[in-house]
Amino acid sequence: MTNTVATPAAEAPKGQSTPLLLLLKLRTFIALIAVVVFFSLMAPNFVTVANVVIVSKHVAINAFLAIGMTFVILTGGIDLSVGAIVGLVGMVAGALVLYGVPLEMLGVVIYPNVWEVIGIALLVGTFVGFVNGLLITRMQVAPFIATLGMLYVARGTALLMSGGSTFPNLIGKPEFGNQGFPVLGAGTILGIPLSIWLLLVVAGIAAYVATKTPFGRQIYAVGGNERAATLSGVNVNRVKLTVYMVSGFCAAIAGLVVASQLVASHPASGETFEMNAIAAAVLGGTSLSGGRGTIGGTIVGAFVIGVLSDGLVMMGVSEFWQMVIKGVVIVGAVILDQMQRRIARNARLG
Amino acid sequence: MSLRKTLKTVSLGLLAGIALTASALAADGKLIVIITPSHDNPFFKQEAVGAQAKAKELGYEAAQEAVGAQAKAKELGYEAAIYSHDDDANKQNDLIDSAIAQKAAAIILDNAGADATVAAVQKAKDAGVPSFLIDREINATGIAVTQIVSNNYQGATLVAESFVEAMGEKGNFVELVGKESDTNAGVRSKGYHDVIDQYPDMKMVAQQSANWSQTEAFSKMESILQANPDVKGVISGNDTMAMGAMAALEAAGRKDVLVAGFDGSNDVRDAIIAGKIHATGLQPAFRQAQYAVELADKFLKEGKTGQPEKISMDCVLITKDNAAKLDNFALKD
């Protein structure tokens, strides 16, 4: 691979790079540098170590979702349920920490320790993704509809778990042996929050799977041309089922981090997160029609969005303008993407 | 094929069942429909429960779950149905349509917008269904039977006075505003500023909307703290945002920053007792919703409520002194 993390579009023809094409290929990275430079001039304390850490922490939550989303979009699908999974997983973790698992027949309550809480929560997220995958592969429901339905089911379930209210103070109790949940959100290694380390690990694994494994190649193959992939022996349904499970798993990580940071879980957590995740993937050069995009590009895309929203808050720009600016940037990125493809195609033909 | 047929029969049967239930209720004309914003904000939830509890006392049986409602409806003549409009005026319009279709006896409504609601309430009135508004008013009179609102402005000035006093009348502060399309967000912000702006040494260094959301308040507060490390106080348009700000301050190890909220939820009560939040304004949500049902009952029986259309209920300041008496949006004596 000659592409670095910074170049989202992987399939541009080699050896024919015009300067303009190179510029377009690097557009997300250039955009990131541009927004960072802009805010370092406009917002006080923007380029400080502490703030870079805070921004990265905020980006991490969206990046977890966006990584799973990238796999799904690479197969030509979409996962609208990830924001709702964030809420649901937070509520599951909150309920386990506060109330444990009541075994009514035996009249006892089992309080799982923090690792078990995290494990169960991750399983719940993965299971929701599994159901999405089954609906899409076995019942032939379009991904948009299947995951839209799941969005409502998961959000509704999250609200039902507490009747709509918050599970507060998820600190656990020494007598139950379930303390430590807030560490995931507040803990640090070498001064860097755990969620950022976690993002490095997840992004590293995801990039490796996407580029270096047969499964990764199968994902691109399914998204590029599903029929050709089937004919060449790829188990398309298995690939699709797996990417939705990966997306659910990634959403569960984000849900755990959000609940742990707030030391509380709120059933409305994660509302519209799916849109930010899709935006990060698209901004990073992932094509919604599938088969094109990279994990590295998505991470850069997530950073562009994160830097924009944090920077605008620090500048004191009103919420309304923040929304307008975000929308313009996303659509602008897609326009550049189309431009790049056109130029690359012409270069190839000419 | 046969499976599909069975499914079809079953669903038709279910539809018929629902229609029958609806018409049975309609025949009695004893359904009270309660429409509030999303129940995931503890304040609104209490409002729904408050109205329900009163409905029960008065003989209207309320039930949250569809199954329970059906069973109870047979036992008693009355029923209360609860819906939420999620702050979506369009959805609210649909809910009011269905309340009219069900020939509800009355609608208790915490509305989705001061202007956007007027037409919907008028429509209900034209169809002979009286509306009783709680918590938020609409920009029209003579359409709803009553509009019981908590005096958000008065409550906000109480919170702001206590906030200013605790800050020693000076220092940098941050304001987290609610959803800017919601009337109460603006009224509370005005109440805060009408008090705070009188003190020249109180300086607002950042003002952001966190859309009533805890998650959003958390991340925005973290960014604001980076831009303005010298913040000494946070005044927030509601309790959930105050909780988000509190979590961000804790994550930054800032124990010196004062936080104030609004609503009087149990979560913030506990934080006040623990010394993490300074004060909040209690809206009498429970009492308000109950009062609306009482007035609805009176109106249905006597044709009038005997009260003016606009009724204002004062808010109460909650600090460490009285926090222990607060439970589910009501103060115990």
Side-chain angles (χ1 to χ4, degrees):
Chain A
M1 290 294 282
T2 50
N3 288 309
T4 62
V5 165
T7 54
E11 288 83 2
K14 295 185 184 84
Q16 293 177 342
S17 292
T18 63
L20 176 64
L21 193 56
L22 186 70
L23 221 61
L24 283 170
K25 271 172 70 182
L26 290 169
R27 68 191 178 279
T28 320
F29 200 61
I30 295 170
L32 179 58
I33 293 171
V35 286
V36 169
V37 169
F38 177 75
F39 287 121
S40 61
L41 296 173
M42 299 301 289
N45 303 339
F46 190 79
V47 191
T48 59
V49 175
N51 191 50
V52 169
V53 168
I54 296 272
V55 172
S56 310
K57 207 171 91 177
H58 293 167
V59 167
I61 291 167
N62 186 21
F64 288 128
L65 301 175
I67 288 170
M69 187 68 78
T70 303
F71 280 120
V72 171
I73 295 179
L74 280 175
T75 67
I78 194 91
D79 189 349
L80 299 179
S81 65
V82 292
I85 297 176
V86 167
L88 176 64
V89 164
M91 294 308 283
V92 168
L96 288 173
V97 171
L98 285 187
Y99 306 114
V101 185
L103 296 176
E104 276 168 24
M105 284 173 295
L106 303 172
V108 291
V109 178
I110 296 173
Y111 286 90
N113 68 32
V114 172
W115 292 110
E116 288 156 357
V117 168
I118 291 174
I120 295 170
L122 291 175
L123 276 179
V124 169
T126 313
F127 177 74
V128 176
F130 176 70
V131 176
N132 278 335
L134 280 189
L135 289 172
I136 290 158
T137 57
R138 306 272 176 240
M139 309 280 174
Q140 271 82 44
V141 182
F144 190 95
I145 301 301
T147 57
L148 180 67
M150 186 54 81
L151 182 162
Y152 288 116
V153 172
R155 180 68 69 202
T157 310
L159 286 160
L160 282 171
M161 285 184 69
S162 67
S165 53
T166 307
F167 286 144
N169 290 328
L170 307 179
I171 44 178
K173 291 197 175 123
E175 60 263 41
F176 301 149
N178 64 351
Q179 286 171 299
F181 184 65
V183 173
L184 183 61
T188 58
I189 298 174
L190 304 173
I192 310 281
L194 282 181
S195 56
I196 298 177
W197 290 111
L198 205 56
L199 174 63
L200 288 175
V201 172
V202 173
I205 295 173
Y208 179 80
V209 169
T211 55
K212 304 279 190 240
T213 65
F215 179 67
R217 281 189 286 281
Q218 288 177 0
I219 292 175
Y220 282 94
V222 169
N225 187 334
E226 191 173 324
R227 184 154 172 75
T230 314
L231 290 175
S232 53
V234 174
N235 186 339
V236 172
N237 279 352
R238 196 185 59 113
V239 171
K240 286 188 175 175
L241 187 63
T242 312
V243 292
Y244 285 97
M245 289 170 71
V246 168
S247 181
F249 179 83
C250 290
I253 297 176
L256 282 167
V257 171
V258 168
S260 173
Q261 279 177 352
L262 292 171
V263 202
S265 45
H266 193 260
S269 275
E271 256 170 17
T272 72
F273 278 21
E274 60 279 357
M275 293 303 160
N276 278 333
I278 295 169
V282 169
L283 208 53
T286 308
S287 161
L288 280 178
S289 48
R292 208 165 55 88
T294 61
I295 298 298
T298 295
I299 302 286
V300 177
F303 265 93
V304 172
I305 293 177
V307 166
L308 256 182
S309 32
D310 278 16
L312 291 171
V313 167
M314 289 176 74
M315 269 178 73
V317 174
S318 103
E319 162 89 7
F320 301 164
W321 277 111
Q322 291 178 31
M323 290 165 76
V324 170
I325 293 167
K326 213 153 108 185
V328 168
V329 167
I330 291 165
V331 176
V334 177
I335 292 172
L336 284 179
D337 187 46
Q338 293 298 330
M339 210 180 338
Q340 178 210 334
R341 292 178 73 184
R342 206 166 47 238
I343 293 172
R345 197 168 49 232
N346 291 345
R348 210 162 33 231
L349 295 173
Chain B
M1 237 9 225
S2 70
L3 177 70
R4 192 172 287 175
K5 254 182 188 163
T6 320
L7 277 175
K8 209 170 171 184
T9 323
V10 169
S11 52
L12 274 177
L14 276 175
L15 275 177
I18 292 165
L20 275 176
T21 318
S23 61
L25 286 170
D28 285 333
K30 285 172 180 175
L31 172 71
I32 286 194
V33 173
I34 301 162
I35 307 173
T36 65
S38 165
H39 295 173
D40 61 23
N41 183 322
F43 170 74
F44 299 129
K45 194 186 168 207
Q46 201 51 47
E47 208 167 54
V49 173
Q52 245 186 338
K54 200 69 203 176
K56 203 168 186 173
E57 272 176 39
L58 292 172
Y60 306 101
E61 179 62 35
Q64 253 165 334
E65 292 163 59
V67 183
Q70 248 178 343
K72 289 284 177 190
K74 284 176 190 163
E75 287 176 36
L76 299 148
Y78 285 89
E79 181 168 354
I82 295 186
Y83 304 105
S84 70
H85 55 60
D86 296 322
D87 276 313
D88 177 349
N90 210 16
K91 189 173 174 196
Q92 171 180 276
N93 195 29
D94 292 348
L95 289 172
I96 287 179
D97 278 342
S98 73
I100 294 170
Q102 293 175 63
K103 299 206 169 54
I107 297 171
I108 311 283
L109 173 65
D110 181 350
N111 71 75
D115 292 306
T117 306
V118 175
V121 173
Q122 178 73 52
K123 186 168 54 183
K125 189 189 178 195
D126 294 345
V129 183
S131 300
F132 300 79
L133 270 49
I134 50 177
D135 185 38
R136 306 169 180 176
E137 32 185 353
I138 54 171
N139 289 339
T141 50
I143 301 173
V145 179
T146 52
Q147 303 191 39
I148 310 170
V149 291
S150 45
N151 195 337
N152 274 277
Y153 180 82
Q154 168 264 353
T157 56
L158 283 181
V159 171
E161 276 160 13
S162 172
F163 181 71
V164 168
E165 193 192 320
M167 296 258 303
E169 299 183 4
K170 64 176 191 311
N172 291 346
F173 71 97
V174 173
E175 184 189 0
L176 294 175
V177 189
K179 199 178 227 135
E180 295 185 65
S181 54
D182 183 333
T183 332
N184 279 348
V187 172
R188 288 177 197 172
S189 183
K190 185 172 185 319
Y192 289 158
H193 281 279
D194 283 355
V195 171
I196 299 174
D197 294 353
Q198 294 170 22
Y199 298 88
D201 295 334
M202 294 283 299
K203 189 164 166 269
M204 184 169 76
V205 290
Q207 183 183 38
Q208 278 286 327
S209 166
N211 292 312
W212 304 131
S213 149
Q214 193 172 0
T215 326
E216 215 168 298
F218 175 79
S219 69
K220 288 194 167 164
M221 192 62 218
E222 282 198 321
S223 294
I224 291 170
L225 268 182
Q226 289 301 314
N228 310 282
D230 50 355
V231 163
K232 292 280 176 262
V234 181
I235 193 158
S236 160
N238 80 345
D239 277 355
T240 37
M241 294 190 297
M243 292 295 285
M246 184 191 88
L249 290 165
E250 281 194 336
R254 294 288 298 268
K255 295 195 192 313
D256 58 321
V257 182
L258 220 66
V259 182
F262 202 103
D263 279 345
S265 70
N266 283 3
D267 298 341
V268 162
R269 172 201 64 194
D270 295 341
I272 289 175
I273 292 171
K276 293 174 180 172
I277 285 182
H278 169 67
T280 185
L282 166 69
Q283 293 197 77
F286 194 86
R287 177 68 203 127
Q288 212 176 59
Q290 289 194 324
Y291 191 41
V293 177
E294 285 168 18
L295 289 180
D297 182 55
K298 193 164 183 213
F299 182 83
L300 291 176
K301 285 179 179 149
E302 300 169 16
K304 60 180 189 308
T305 62
Q307 295 289 334
E309 180 183 337
K310 292 220 178 185
I311 302 167
S312 171
M313 293 175 85
D314 276 353
C315 297
V316 181
L317 180 73
I318 304 291
T319 60
K320 219 163 186 164
D321 300 335
N322 56 358
K325 285 193 226 158
L326 176 65
D327 193 32
N328 286 332
F329 297 94
L331 269 182
K332 289 179 303 217
D333 296 318

